[in-house]
Amino acid sequence: MTRFWVCVAGAGFFLAFLVFHSRFCASRLPLPLHFAFKISWRPEEALYRLDVDWPKYSEYFTGATFCVAVDSLNGLVYVAQRGDNIPKVLVFTEDGYFLRAWNYTVDTPHGIFAASTPHEQSVWITDVGSELYVEDTGDIYIVDGDGGLNNRLIKLSQDFMILWLHGENGTGPAKFNVPHSVTVDSDGRVWVADRGNKRIQVFDKDTGEWLGAWNNCFSEEGPSAVRFTPDGKHLIVAQLNLSRLLLMAAPPVGSIGDCSVISTIQLADQVSPHLLDVSGKTGAIYVAEIGAKQVQKYIPVKSYSSSFGS
């Protein structure tokens, strides 16, 4: 017992010596003799938390939930699911109350997007292996992975004319391997989750010019979904096989650079987040989980403006 307390006292004396030494003596020592010594007890601050009350009743999920879309203008959340003899689209309020189910004609929904203005409301659904984003101007951006066969990024006008297209399988710039999700930022850049190549590629929305790519954050798993927070300062990225969400810093105008992960949200094992959407009003994240066969909602721990800055 005496030996134990002697060891404890010795360890305490050694730590005290290091602190005293680093404060008063380290600056006078040659560089090779300096110590790097840091103790931190504060865990990473959680920026989002799971809303356990969303939805109010989960028994409405009867298939594999592949995608989700938020209509922030009308406070609605659309969920598309796959399965036999089930409704393919479910509609909830942003607070989690079930409203209705509809559209039995969709066979294998993959992507869904809600486009709303004060004058018009529309819901877009893609089948099999494609996903889309509809810009405020009415232009349509589609990524078509289709199991790795098509590998295309297409921009369409409001009358469905092709404005530009990238459509080639490969690993080089503007080539794809199962492109999986697409979104557009307020600075005129198109962001594509190039899942099979483990990167996000960026294009000019007007010309289709390739602007750069992020790949340094995806060594383990490629991105399956990408969306911006309402202030445009961060991207929310899903990684399906890791059951993980990443909060990443958006680059300034004129620069793509490398990606930087601000925070992570680790979901339960085999939840498999497929596609996601973000509320333009609250910043809440709605995640379609094909493994868990449900949609979950994550809300900012603080108010949106105080969490990420104005």
Side-chain angles (χ1 to χ4, degrees):
M1 190 66 179
T2 302
R3 181 178 298 177
F4 170 78
W5 287 111
V6 169
C7 292
V8 171
F13 175 80
F14 177 69
L15 291 174
F17 170 76
L18 286 179
V19 173
F20 177 84
H21 183 276
S22 63
R23 177 171 295 183
F24 297 103
C25 305
S27 61
R28 295 192 294 270
L29 290 176
L31 183 61
L33 297 181
H34 283 195
F35 292 95
F37 189 76
K38 179 180 180 182
I39 298 177
S40 177
W41 300 102
R42 193 174 78 175
E44 178 184 343
E45 182 182 4
L47 299 180
Y48 287 86
R49 66 173 177 85
L50 175 66
D51 184 349
V52 295
D53 294 324
W54 202 100
K56 302 303 180 184
Y57 302 100
S58 60
E59 63 266 21
Y60 293 105
F61 300 132
T62 53
T65 50
F66 264 69
C67 47
V68 59
V70 183
D71 174 2
S72 297
L73 185 64
N74 296 292
L76 301 176
V77 178
Y78 296 86
V79 178
Q81 55 183 3
R82 294 185 185 181
D84 296 329
N85 302 314
I86 63 171
K88 297 301 173 67
V89 178
L90 310 174
V91 187
F92 298 85
T93 67
E94 285 201 57
D95 293 331
Y97 292 97
F98 176 77
L99 297 177
R100 58 189 178 274
W102 54 271
N103 201 335
Y104 288 80
T105 61
V106 180
D107 183 31
T108 52
H110 185 278
I112 188 169
F113 187 86
S116 291
T117 69
H119 309 290
E120 184 179 1
Q121 178 182 358
S122 59
V123 178
W124 303 70
I125 302 175
T126 58
D127 262 3
V128 189
S130 58
E131 201 252 356
L132 81 164
Y133 182 93
V134 182
E135 201 177 1
D136 293 341
T137 60
D139 290 334
I140 306 161
Y141 301 84
I142 298 176
V143 287
D144 188 4
D146 194 18
L149 298 177
N150 291 332
N151 295 303
R152 296 180 297 182
L153 167 64
I154 308 168
K155 180 180 180 180
L156 302 174
S157 64
Q158 297 181 51
D159 54 359
F160 302 103
M161 297 292 293
I162 295 178
L163 300 178
W164 51 259
L165 179 150
H166 293 290
E168 186 175 355
N169 181 54
T171 59
K175 297 181 180 180
F176 301 100
N177 182 7
V178 193
H180 212 262
S181 178
V182 59
T183 193
V184 181
D185 68 18
S186 59
D187 298 315
R189 298 176 294 193
V190 182
W191 299 73
V192 181
D194 189 6
R195 181 181 166 192
N197 284 325
K198 296 184 179 180
R199 64 186 179 184
I200 293 176
Q201 295 200 71
V202 189
F203 301 84
D204 181 275
K205 75 169 190 176
D206 294 323
T207 65
E209 176 189 2
W210 184 83
L211 300 178
W214 281 356
N215 52 29
N216 57 298
C217 294
F218 307 111
S219 58
E220 296 179 90
E221 167 79 5
S224 61
V226 57
R227 283 291 187 270
F228 278 90
T229 53
D231 61 7
K233 295 180 179 179
H234 300 85
L235 293 89
I236 307 293
V237 175
Q239 293 179 295
L240 187 142
N241 293 319
L242 294 179
S243 292
R244 183 169 68 183
L245 306 181
L246 304 177
L247 177 68
M248 315 178 82
V253 180
S255 172
I256 299 300
D258 293 328
C259 56
S260 175
V261 177
I262 303 300
S263 181
T264 61
I265 304 173
Q266 185 60 56
L267 284 60
D269 290 344
Q270 298 181 342
V271 162
S272 304
H274 186 244
L275 294 175
L276 60 85
D277 206 0
V278 179
S279 169
K281 289 184 177 179
T282 67
I285 307 168
Y286 296 83
V287 186
E289 302 167 348
I290 57 176
K293 296 184 177 180
Q294 64 183 5
V295 169
Q296 292 195 107
K297 176 184 179 182
Y298 293 84
I299 57 179
V301 172
K302 303 175 183 178
S303 65
Y304 189 79
S305 59
S306 64
S307 297
F308 302 112
S310 57

